[in-house]
Amino acid sequence: MHVHLVVAHPEKSSFNYALHCVAIETLSGMGIRYSESNLYAESFNPVAGHDDVIGFPDGESFNLAKAQRFALENNAFIRQIKHEQNKLKECDVLVLQFPLWWWSFPAILKGWIDRVLTSGFAYGEGATLKAKKVMYSITTGGAKNQSELDYYQAKIDGLYQDVFAFMGWEIIPPFIAHGVQQKSHQQRLDILASYTAHIQKKLTLAQS
């Protein structure tokens, strides 16, 4: 098994980033190969557009999906996109580590999805990328009661369905850390330990 980790948090001292570090430690301990994309550290450009494609015909109205298919057929993606797509080709499981901002992905991660999971490569007729398994690891601002927890869960389920289920990928249940800002040091350590157990259980099942 090969796991690709995409982390989308700007602060390495954050709890969110600590979860990413736990994933690396856990995968290493399990003897599972991994690669990573650290979007903020790598200054990943989240804006999809003309600059993604080399040699798109002059005079044609720019359509992103059409341009992405042109790039795939003509080996015309810029280096950054090719590099990220190659990482996806090699992995079996994709893990996205991110904070839930305004009930969705941070802009840098949404941009990664827009620019890397391209038409003809990850979705659409004749898509060349083999379907993968995907898991989210998320931190949230917190929930005060079961009703709010259910609301968070519905939003996160929607993020799975709107992107990865649409592409036919297998969904691994997410790990969600609610309200870590309000937790004690020991509670945070307990959450990190729970994430270790989550990875061990879910990826063992994914291998079977």
Side-chain angles (χ1 to χ4, degrees), residues 56-109:
F56 187 73
D58 292 335
E60 284 199 29
S61 176
F62 186 84
N63 173 282
L64 183 61
K66 183 178 179 180
Q68 289 174 343
R69 285 185 174 268
F70 169 88
L72 190 66
E73 293 165 3
N74 294 278
N75 192 28
F77 278 120
I78 64 169
R79 182 179 179 277
Q80 188 179 53
I81 295 176
K82 286 182 183 179
H83 186 54
E84 293 301 309
Q85 290 184 337
N86 285 336
K87 292 177 184 178
L88 287 180
K89 290 176 186 177
E90 295 172 0
C91 79
D92 304 294
V93 178
L94 173 66
V95 175
L96 299 184
Q97 177 67 57
F98 62 97
L100 194 70
W101 288 347
W102 287 108
W103 311 110
S104 189
F105 305 110
I108 199 167
L109 180 55

Side-chain angles (χ1 to χ4, degrees), residues 187-206:
Q187 287 173 321
R188 290 185 178 203
L189 292 177
D190 291 343
I191 293 171
L192 295 176
S194 295
Y195 187 41
T196 295
H198 184 88
I199 293 172
Q200 290 171 335
K201 179 180 179 181
K202 300 304 181 184
L203 293 193
T204 298
L205 289 172

